[in-house]
Amino acid sequence: MSSCLYKGRMKNILSDLIHFAEIMKRKWLEKLKKVEDLASQYKRHPISSAYKPKLSRPWQPSSVWRLFPRQAAAFQFAKTCKEDVHVFALETVLDDTERRLYLVTTYAEFWFYYMKRPRSLAHCYEVIPADTVCKLYFDLEYYKPANPGADGKKMVALVIEFFCKKLEDCFGVKCSAEYILNLDSSTEEKFSRHLIFLLPNAAFKDNIHVGNFIKSALQPLLSLKGCTLTAKASVCERSMNDSNEHCGNNEENPQKASPELPYTAHPDTSGLSSLLVQDKNGGIQLFIDLGVYTKNRNFRLYKSSKLGKNVTFEVAEDNRFALKPLKHVLEEEQIFLCSLISNIRFTDSLKVLTCESTENERSGTSRLSAAPSVITGCTMKGYQFSPYPEIDCFILSLLTREGFHGGMDLDLLFHFGFYCV
């Protein structure tokens, strides 16, 4: 009796299990059919392309935001972009090492994130591209403890007045303080200014021509007897005794100033002696830093500080630059855009200013004593020489013998940044 009861229960359980398995199989087949139907539907109507972030306003450009460890790679990528992109340098610390990364983006997108003041964008520089039309600009600085009698504001005003006159004399371009953005990043120890000239319908061919123009204008001052400027002032960038600069529209060459002539023999630069200041070591240098006119120069941005410091470039108290209101652009953004050296609005009436430098290429002996970064004929794409200037100088000294001036070239040996000179 009990055996029959046990067999009946087991039969019922087995029947229930079979029924449950059939239900689960049916549900699984239904789910599988739904998945197959969805797959078929997505094949007929593909999913839209991956989401790309975009600035919210319709007149703003599409998003481009790419970081590169090498400046040359950033420029190479920028050339492939449809958008009007530019290269910025970001100072940062990676693995306890200070280094620069290179960002490719548009002005609008950079400002969108930059205005939020993130730590990653606290130390930024504009990379002024080689062979690109740019504004006239100055980096002015001196060490305050070594120059207790210096009046920085008066020296800035003197620079503005002198070069406004030079622009009119050489190019017929009228300029005044209202066209010059004056940015200040001074501390208790150091006086520091940036001057950016927004000339009406005029700009320089590139920043090398800017440097030639400034050195040509200051040549009598640089040729003072007994005035040996430090490397910081980059006076050896052109051997003054072996070079002439030709500026303007087919005007005659300015006469070379003899280093034996006293300062008063140069009426064009009378009163500029205050632009000669002392450095920390007691040497003489220019108030105007002549080392910022090199290819692909990194120039610190408005609202940025140097790595490890918190003093940013702000509009100076004595700034007289007159902003013209722009549609959809707030005042602070407009100052930022005006401060960018290579941000030039091209028009049919734009006058491109040039100041060529002609040198006797065989007079290489006198240049060997100059800093490696200022020897001519050795420019590398994306770089100014290798990361090892002492080696560059040594190689150039071997290549420059008996009146023959040698040069260096750069080759990419491996894809990730190993170079062979």
Side-chain angles (χ1 to χ4, degrees):
M1 181 74 178
S2 60
S3 176
C4 291
L5 185 60
Y6 174 75
K7 287 181 180 180
R9 286 179 179 175
M10 288 301 295
K11 188 177 180 180
N12 291 337
I13 291 172
L14 186 59
S15 177
D16 289 343
L17 287 173
I18 293 171
H19 179 67
F20 179 74
E22 288 176 351
I23 293 174
M24 292 301 294
K25 183 179 179 181
R26 188 169 57 250
K27 287 184 177 180
W28 171 251
L29 291 173
E30 288 174 356
K31 287 183 178 180
L32 187 61
K33 188 174 184 306
K34 286 181 179 178
V35 171
E36 289 174 346
D37 290 343
L38 285 173
S40 175
Q41 181 181 343
Y42 290 143
K43 282 183 179 179
R44 294 193 304 270
H45 308 287
I47 299 175
S48 58
S49 57
Y51 169 74
K52 289 185 178 179
K54 188 179 186 305
L55 300 177
S56 58
R57 296 171 182 173
W59 59 83
Q60 292 176 319
S62 300
S63 176
V64 178
W65 191 273
R66 286 283 302 273
L67 280 171
F68 296 88
R70 292 275 184 177
Q71 185 172 270
F75 276 115
Q76 193 64 35
F77 172 75
K79 291 176 183 177
T80 67
C81 294
K82 296 179 181 178
E83 295 80 5
D84 183 18
V85 295
H86 305 271
V87 180
F88 297 90
L90 319 178
E91 276 187 327
T92 186
V93 177
L94 293 175
D95 299 326
D96 299 324
T97 303
E98 294 183 5
R99 59 174 301 178
R100 289 191 184 185
L101 298 176
Y102 298 92
L103 170 67
V104 178
T105 187
T106 60
Y107 287 151
E109 188 166 9
F110 181 85
W111 177 254
F112 177 80
Y113 294 107
Y114 187 59
M115 65 185 291
K116 301 179 188 298
R117 307 285 187 269
R119 289 184 62 186
S120 59
L121 296 178
H123 318 292
C124 294
Y125 297 75
E126 175 190 6
V127 181
I128 305 169
D131 307 317
T132 300
V133 174
C134 70
K135 300 168 185 171
L136 174 63
Y137 64 98
F138 292 86
D139 184 10
L140 311 175
E141 59 183 32
Y142 67 82
Y143 184 57
K144 288 183 178 179
N147 300 274
D151 188 333
K153 289 185 178 179
K154 285 186 178 179
M155 291 162 71
V156 170
L158 179 60
V159 170
I160 291 174
E161 181 184 0
F162 176 74
F163 279 97
C164 283
K165 184 177 184 302
K166 280 292 176 184
L167 284 166
E168 186 168 5
D169 291 346
C170 293
F171 306 109
V173 174
K174 292 185 184 256
C175 182
S176 65
E178 286 72 25
Y179 292 100
I180 302 166
L181 180 58
N182 187 348
L183 301 178
D184 186 12
S185 183
S186 300
T187 64
E188 291 295 323
E189 188 178 67
K190 182 182 177 183
F191 183 90
S192 178
R193 293 287 181 95
H194 278 179
L195 297 181
I196 299 99
F197 283 56
L198 287 90
L199 303 175
N201 290 321
F204 277 82
K205 184 176 180 180
D206 57 37
N207 71 336
I208 302 298
H209 285 256
V210 172
N212 290 341
F213 167 65
I214 292 169
K215 292 164 200 167
S216 176
L218 293 175
Q219 191 177 28
L221 181 62
L222 302 180
S223 302
L224 284 177
K225 181 179 179 180
C227 175
T228 306
L229 301 185
T230 63
K232 176 71 174 175
S234 301
V235 173
C236 293
E237 182 153 357
R238 294 282 189 269
S239 174
M240 285 300 176
N241 293 328
D242 295 323
S243 67
N244 288 315
E245 272 85 2
H246 305 278
C247 300
N249 302 321
N250 300 319
E251 294 185 7
E252 291 184 9
N253 258 358
Q255 293 296 319
K256 270 201 317 185
S258 167
E260 300 301 321
L261 292 177
Y263 180 72
T264 52
H266 306 290
D268 284 348
T269 54
S270 59
L272 293 185
S273 58
S274 62
L275 300 186
L276 296 174
V277 294
Q278 286 191 327
D279 61 17
K280 291 182 180 181
N281 302 317
I284 302 299
Q285 69 176 41
L286 265 178
F287 178 49
I288 301 170
D289 184 357
L290 297 181
V292 298
Y293 308 106
T294 54
K295 293 192 175 185
N296 299 321
R297 185 71 190 182
N298 292 190
F299 202 62
R300 186 150 57 102
L301 289 178
Y302 169 61
K303 295 287 184 184
S304 269
S305 63
K306 291 182 178 179
L307 187 63
K309 299 183 179 180
N310 56 11
V311 181
T312 62
F313 268 109
E314 304 291 342
V315 177
E317 288 182 0
D318 50 339
N319 174 65
R320 291 172 53 193
F321 178 65
L323 276 176
K324 297 178 181 178
L326 294 176
K327 189 178 181 181
H328 305 312
V329 180
L330 298 178
E331 181 177 319
E332 201 169 41
E333 181 181 1
Q334 192 176 350
I335 293 172
F336 166 73
L337 293 172
C338 290
S339 72
L340 297 169
I341 308 303
S342 53
N343 183 21
I344 300 292
R345 185 183 177 189
F346 289 90
T347 63
D348 293 337
S349 59
L350 181 69
K351 185 177 183 180
V352 178
L353 312 179
T354 62
C355 188
E356 299 286 351
S357 173
T358 59
E359 279 190 88
N360 181 353
E361 290 299 325
R362 294 183 179 270
S363 60
T365 345
S366 62
R367 285 192 295 271
L368 291 179
S369 59
S373 62
V374 297
I375 299 175
T376 59
C378 314
T379 304
M380 297 180 179
K381 290 184 179 179
Y383 300 89
Q384 184 178 9
F385 307 100
S386 78
Y388 309 102
E390 294 84 1
I391 296 175
D392 294 345
C393 189
F394 173 71
I395 293 173
L396 285 172
S397 69
L398 297 178
L399 297 176
T400 307
R401 295 285 179 87
E402 299 176 358
F404 293 96
H405 184 60
M408 295 189 302
D409 197 5
L410 173 114
D411 267 326
L412 185 62
L413 198 59
F414 300 103
H415 187 65
F416 290 103
F418 296 91
Y419 291 91
C420 179
V421 173

